[in-house]
Amino acid sequence: MNIILLGPPGAGKGTLSNKILENKNAVQISTGDLFRYNLSNKTPLGLKAKEYMDKGELVPDQVTIDLLWDKFDSLETKENDEKIILFDGFPRTISQGQALDDGMKERNQKIDMVIYFDVSDEILIQRLTGRRTCPECGATYHLVNNPPKKEGICDKCGSELIQRVDDSIETVKNRIEVYNNQTSVLIDYYSKKGILKSIDGTKKPDEVYKEFENKLGEIN
Ligand code: AMP
């Protein structure tokens, strides 16, 4: 089953993904994580993506689409159809959405559901600028909503937490603007296909997960 998590940066897509991965037979494809992985390994793709990521701009479509299918096809060879594949942070433009539809058709598959996270810009800014991330294990925290037990240190692996370069206030504002200009059109795109389900992204992670399970029940 193929499910897209659609919503602005900071809406809680990553948090919901993690809960689904813990509780269900699922795998996640996060283009943001794939770019960051490439960047930390200093691959040519990672270095190219960095130019855009640091400014909060989108990496060009074709680069992103190729990356997506590389990852998707590497999963397909090993996974069975029962598995939930979560698309986190992809698609982000209409042309990515169309490429996803075309590629799914070629593979005799389809997108089964799109979960749209509804959250105001004000909450997004508060969440993103307070976010702290563990560069080693990927755990995320929030200075106010979910602080680590020891300030600046990851509870899970003891590494020093960092603020992502693109979580600074200026970049966050740009990322939200980019979302509003280029990505939010996908809400209409999937709504017209009849596969869009909205959830209230301002709720607590457990409640968001419960809403997700309800939506999943509706299509099963
Ligand atoms: P994220 O972790 O999903 O917020 O992604 C971090 C950054 O990676 C974004 O601000 C973009 O620069 C880049 N990125 C991730 N996914 C995409 C995508 N689908 N299209 C273009 N750029 C992306």
Side-chain angles (χ1 to χ4, degrees), residues 1-12:
M1 183 179 294
N2 297 297
I3 299 177
I4 294 174
L5 304 180
L6 175 66

Side-chain angles (χ1 to χ4, degrees), residues 31-32 36 53 57-59 64 89-90 92 96 164 175:
T31 39
R36 278 184 290 277
M53 293 169 80
E57 302 288 337
L58 294 184
V59 179
T64 311
F90 185 96
R92 265 170 147 109
Q96 290 181 17
R164 269 170 52 172
R175 287 164 70 199

Side-chain angles (χ1 to χ4, degrees), residues 95-185:
S95 79
Q96 290 181 17
Q98 284 162 344
L100 186 59
D101 282 345
D102 294 345
M104 282 286 163
K105 242 181 236 152
E106 281 166 23
R107 290 163 177 81
N108 289 320
Q109 294 208 34
K110 63 176 173 43
I111 297 297
D112 298 282
M113 174 165 75
V114 179
I115 297 283
Y116 164 59
F117 292 68
D118 201 2
V119 188
S120 71
D121 288 1
E122 208 178 300
I123 292 182
L124 297 175
I125 292 174
Q126 188 262 350
R127 281 186 182 170
L128 287 168
T129 53
R131 179 159 75 176
R132 294 296 179 270
T133 311
C134 175
E136 285 305 316
C137 73
T140 56
Y141 301 86
H142 188 276
L143 293 179
V144 181
N145 305 339
N146 176 30
K149 292 195 184 90
K150 194 169 166 212
E151 198 186 319
I153 301 294
C154 179
D155 292 347
K156 291 189 180 149
C157 73
S159 303
E160 207 164 311
L161 300 176
I162 56 157
Q163 182 177 34
R164 269 170 52 172
V165 178
D166 58 350
D167 281 345
S168 65
I169 181 73
E170 279 318 311
T171 311
V172 160
K173 284 188 178 156
N174 194 36
R175 287 164 70 199
I176 293 172
E177 200 178 312
V178 166
Y179 171 83
N180 288 331
N181 292 336
Q182 299 188 60
T183 309
S184 61
V185 282

